[in-house]
Amino acid sequence: MSTPIDLRSDTVTWPTPAMRAAMAEAPVGDDVYGEDPTVNRLEARVAEMLGKEAAVFVPSGTMGNLIAVLSHCGRGDEMILGDQAHIFMYEQGGSAAVGGVHPRTVPNRADGTLDLQQVEDAIRGDNDHYPVTRLIALENTQNRCGGQALPVAYMDAAGELAHRHGLALHVDGARLWNAAVALGVPPARLVQAADSVSVCFSKGLAAPVGSAVAGSAAFIRRARRMRKQVGGGMRQAGILAAAALVALDNMVDRLAEDHVNARRLAEGLAALDGIDLAPATVQTNIVYFDVTAPVVDAAQLSGRLAAHGVLINSTGARRLRAVTNYHISGEDVAAVVAAVESALQEPAVGDVAAIEGVYR
Ligand code: TLP
């Protein structure tokens, strides 16, 4: 079979030739000594793009969020976050497991935001029974709410609320670049009210590895120590930072193409019998859709699509997620809609074989 059309995530993207060339040429040094010039350049660039004093390069978004939470909170402190937040859902409870930080969830609304009144109500008073609330964490774009971009006014209001109560605001900005492009605002403006931000280079921007955390100089000093504690101190990491610098130069503005493709995909899927979604809610590169056809569930549909050379993850009994990315063209979108249409009509026999055939 030819190369599959891979919509499982934007994390599946491969580095571009320009990234590989930059990696081969990158000046390097020992970054734990602060001597890698390419890492230093990347950290300065990220800090500037996010309007913060400093930044630290980390291997993954998960580690970025972890060291940010651990730099804000001590053991037994509480963080308020959405019940659909990546930090809560998909990071193995790392901030609780590693840092003893207690998560207090508030429901995410369909647009990815948290009701700020509910957040305020969740802030603990001074009482011997309670943990101490230290942090509010938001996610922009919000993955599980369909890649929704949280607007500037909302981000500012969340920061104002946090600071009024003496709390910090962290933003999981794994896809902040997508939010900025979709909203037409500079990334720095979106996170102006945040005390810390994590961003990723290895999702829509297609760099092979890496994320960063940005904040005040004093905060990043703590985060750098925390990165070392959890084993994230890298050495000649300039090889990786070089690709991230190319990603920031070349790959941010083109995210608009992914957003157009996602909307087209959503419109094509919505027109099919047996698929349910509202295309108007697709703002960035993430398309969640439900299979309502009674003869097939989400896992079976995912398996059948794999046999058509289309990779889409199921994320619930009837729900699937498709993520457009650098390798997905307009023609691919049309092919995916056609594949979903025929997969919905196939007889149930052979579903398991189809899954095994592709993933072995
Ligand atoms: N998200 C992955 C999966 O873990 C779900 C994906 O395919 O979308 N914050 C957000 C909002 C994320 O979506 C992710 C990755 C991360 C953090 C973690 O980044 P990595 O994978 O670099 O640890």
Side-chain angles (χ1 to χ4, degrees):
M1 194 190 285
S2 54
T3 318
I5 300 174
D6 197 344
L7 294 158
R8 288 172 300 169
S9 185
D10 46 11
T11 61
V12 302
T13 43
W14 293 3
T16 62
M19 289 179 197
R20 289 178 188 268
M23 293 171 80
E25 298 299 322
V28 295
D30 190 328
D31 181 48
V32 172
Y33 289 88
E35 289 173 2
D36 189 303
T38 312
V39 171
N40 292 344
R41 201 148 68 83
L42 175 67
E43 291 177 345
R45 177 91 195 279
V46 170
E48 193 230 301
M49 284 179 86
L50 298 179
K52 303 296 174 202
E53 284 174 1
V56 58
F57 186 47
V58 293
S60 69
T62 301
M63 189 184 287
N65 284 332
L66 178 66
I67 68 170
V69 172
L70 269 51
S71 301
H72 286 298
C73 304
R75 299 191 73 80
D77 287 344
E78 193 165 71
M79 111 180 110
I80 300 172
L81 77 177
D83 65 350
Q84 302 301 313
H86 193 277
I87 294 177
F88 183 65
M89 293 293 292
Y90 294 138
E91 298 185 5
Q92 284 201 35
S95 37
V98 180
V101 179
H102 191 243
R104 176 103 185 263
T105 59
V106 166
N108 278 100
R109 299 185 288 202
D111 67 356
T113 61
L114 310 178
D115 178 337
L116 292 181
Q117 188 56 57
Q118 287 187 20
V119 172
E120 187 156 20
D121 291 347
I123 298 170
R124 307 285 191 163
D126 183 12
N127 181 308
D128 279 2
H129 297 84
Y130 295 154
V132 175
T133 311
R134 292 268 182 224
L135 180 66
I136 297 171
L138 295 175
E139 185 176 311
N140 200 0
T141 66
Q142 216 298 342
N143 165 31
R144 280 181 59 91
C145 294
Q148 296 282 319
L150 281 50
V152 167
Y154 178 81
M155 301 297 288
D156 285 354
E160 190 278 323
L161 169 66
H163 299 147
R164 184 155 37 86
H165 288 273
L167 311 179
L169 175 67
H170 172 70
V171 176
D172 175 353
R175 297 188 181 85
L176 188 75
W177 319 114
N178 297 80
V181 167
L183 296 167
V185 293
R189 180 64 193 90
L190 264 185
V191 295
Q192 191 173 296
D195 300 281
S196 61
V197 191
S198 55
V199 289
C200 292
F201 312 114
S202 64
K203 297 193 168 59
L205 304 192
V209 178
S211 292
V213 179
S216 70
F219 177 82
I220 293 302
R221 178 74 200 113
R222 286 204 299 283
R224 200 175 286 280
R225 291 185 64 95
M226 207 52 85
R227 177 186 71 168
K228 192 78 181 80
Q229 188 174 64
V230 298
M234 298 179 283
R235 300 295 177 173
Q236 285 72 34
I239 296 275
L240 301 174
L245 281 162
V246 174
L248 291 175
D249 283 341
N250 299 350
M251 305 296 281
V252 176
D253 291 343
R254 69 146 303 284
L255 292 172
E257 294 169 34
D258 296 347
H259 300 174
V260 168
N261 283 334
R263 181 61 81 90
R264 285 203 187 122
L265 175 64
E267 285 163 358
L269 292 174
L272 300 179
D273 276 346
I275 296 294
D276 186 36
L277 84 153
T281 62
V282 175
Q283 285 184 327
T284 61
N285 66 332
I286 297 181
V287 181
Y288 277 91
F289 58 100
D290 292 325
V291 51
T292 54
V295 290
V296 61
D297 66 21
Q300 287 166 334
L301 183 59
S302 172
R304 291 182 193 186
L305 287 170
H308 286 265
V310 173
L311 304 183
I312 296 182
N313 282 336
S314 62
T315 61
R318 300 230 138 248
R319 181 154 278 218
L320 297 97
R321 182 187 76 155
V323 185
T324 54
N325 61 65
Y326 181 54
H327 303 303
I328 303 299
S329 65
E331 294 82 67
D332 290 334
V333 168
V336 171
V337 175
V340 173
E341 185 170 25
S342 56
L344 282 170
Q345 288 157 11
E346 282 160 16
V349 276
D351 276 338
V352 174
I355 295 168
E356 288 180 353
V358 169
Y359 289 110
R360 273 218 180 120

